[in-house]
Amino acid sequence: MRDLLPPVVAVAVAGPDDWSGTLLPAESACLSDRAVESRRRDFTAGRMCARRALAGLGLPAAAVTSASDRSPIWPVGVVGSITHTRGYCAAAAARATDVRSVGMDAERHRELNPGVRRAICLAEEEADLARLPTGVPWPTVVFSIKETVYKVWHPVVGTWLDFHDARVTLDPDAGTFTARIAPARLETAPLADPPASITGLFAVDADLVRSAAVLGLR
Ligand SMILES: CC(C)(COP(=O)(O)OP(=O)(O)OC[C@H]1O[C@@H](n2cnc3c(N)ncnc32)[C@H](O)[C@@H]1OP(=O)(O)O)[C@@H](O)C(=O)NCCC(=O)NCCS
């Protein structure tokens, strides 16, 4: 993820030991007693990465807990994002004096069935994708970007975004994207200046699709 985010954002990617690391008590309390082993490992790797990202900012170790909607609660003055997908996990953190929000997402390559694909991509996006080179899992790229967009949007605005509430355009050569937020979501946002568009970077690796974005200061 380092390649997708600016230098003011500290990034950590999980190594083999992170999946069985030791959580801080406040973090353990966020995990349900009924959490299955894979959820425990994902959550743990995310917190280990979060701690390293905080250290990368020169900040002391602090618990990154979860709100009831599962969004991460970073220490005061920090914004950040966590992603995990089958054997891959990363966290990013930045000082709130440098960026307003950061989001990122990683997905394993996969075929999306037609129903899922329709739920994620707008018809205009499908038309765009049909013109792109074959051999790249473009719907998964759009899916990852939209999850990144939500992770940027939600901590700042606090409202839900459906997958059809963002219109994503890609520049496959530059590896950049722009997501324009639906006017209806902007009008009903409980903020004077919700972000009308979110731009970022994406990458398609051998078996992983990654995307990330930051929202600059006002
Ligand atoms: C929140 C969401 C994006 C997380 O995606 P996911 O498939 O679980 O995948 P990831 O592993 O990449 O991300 C999980 C992490 O996201 C973070 N997260 C959860 N809710 C979040 C929120 N509201 N805002 C920011 N980050 C959030 C958490 O840190 C979580 O990890 P943790 O529970 O271990 O702390 C997804 O569950 C979701 O609700 N999507 C629907 C909304 C959406 O994406 N709309 C598209 C708008 S264009």
Side-chain angles (χ1 to χ4, degrees):
M1 288 292 185
R2 174 69 282 160
D3 52 330
L4 302 185
L5 287 160
V8 288
V9 181
V11 178
V13 176
D17 296 339
D18 289 323
W19 307 85
S20 53
T22 305
L23 294 171
L24 295 171
E27 295 169 337
S28 294
C30 298
L31 256 183
S32 157
D33 292 342
R34 294 187 304 275
V36 296
E37 185 58 18
S38 59
R39 171 63 184 143
R40 282 182 185 280
R41 288 174 63 79
D42 285 352
F43 183 85
T44 301
R47 268 47 196 183
M48 295 303 126
C49 290
R51 211 161 302 156
R52 273 209 304 288
L54 290 173
L57 296 177
L59 296 171
V64 177
T65 56
S66 302
S68 55
D69 64 2
R70 257 191 67 197
S71 53
I73 303 174
W74 292 85
V76 172
V78 176
V79 295
S81 187
I82 295 171
T83 184
H84 27 62
T85 181
R86 285 185 287 127
Y88 178 89
C89 176
R95 291 177 188 269
T97 46
D98 288 328
V99 303
R100 198 171 163 200
S101 188
V102 54
M104 64 177 182
D105 180 76
E107 302 289 333
R108 293 287 174 195
H109 287 212
R110 60 185 156 136
E111 281 296 313
L112 301 180
N113 73 48
V116 172
R117 203 168 152 155
R118 267 195 304 279
I120 291 162
C121 296
L122 293 161
E124 309 94 279
E125 291 166 343
E126 285 287 3
D128 290 350
L129 299 188
R131 289 191 286 271
L132 295 179
T134 55
V136 175
W138 293 115
T140 306
V141 172
V142 173
F143 177 59
S144 174
I145 288 171
K146 289 192 174 188
E147 294 224 313
T148 282
V149 165
Y150 184 66
K151 290 177 184 180
V152 170
W153 167 274
H154 185 263
V156 169
V157 186
T159 56
W160 174 254
L161 276 187
D162 190 65
F163 283 96
H164 285 190
D165 288 328
R167 162 74 165 105
V168 170
T169 49
L170 302 174
D171 181 334
D173 297 324
T176 57
F177 71 83
T178 300
R180 286 198 319 278
I181 308 300
R185 292 297 183 185
L186 297 173
E187 283 156 19
T188 53
L191 266 190
D193 60 344
S197 71
I198 292 169
T199 57
L201 300 179
F202 70 91
V204 181
D205 308 327
D207 64 348
L208 208 60
V209 170
R210 299 177 290 120
S211 60
V214 295
L215 195 61
L217 297 177
R218 281 182 256 211

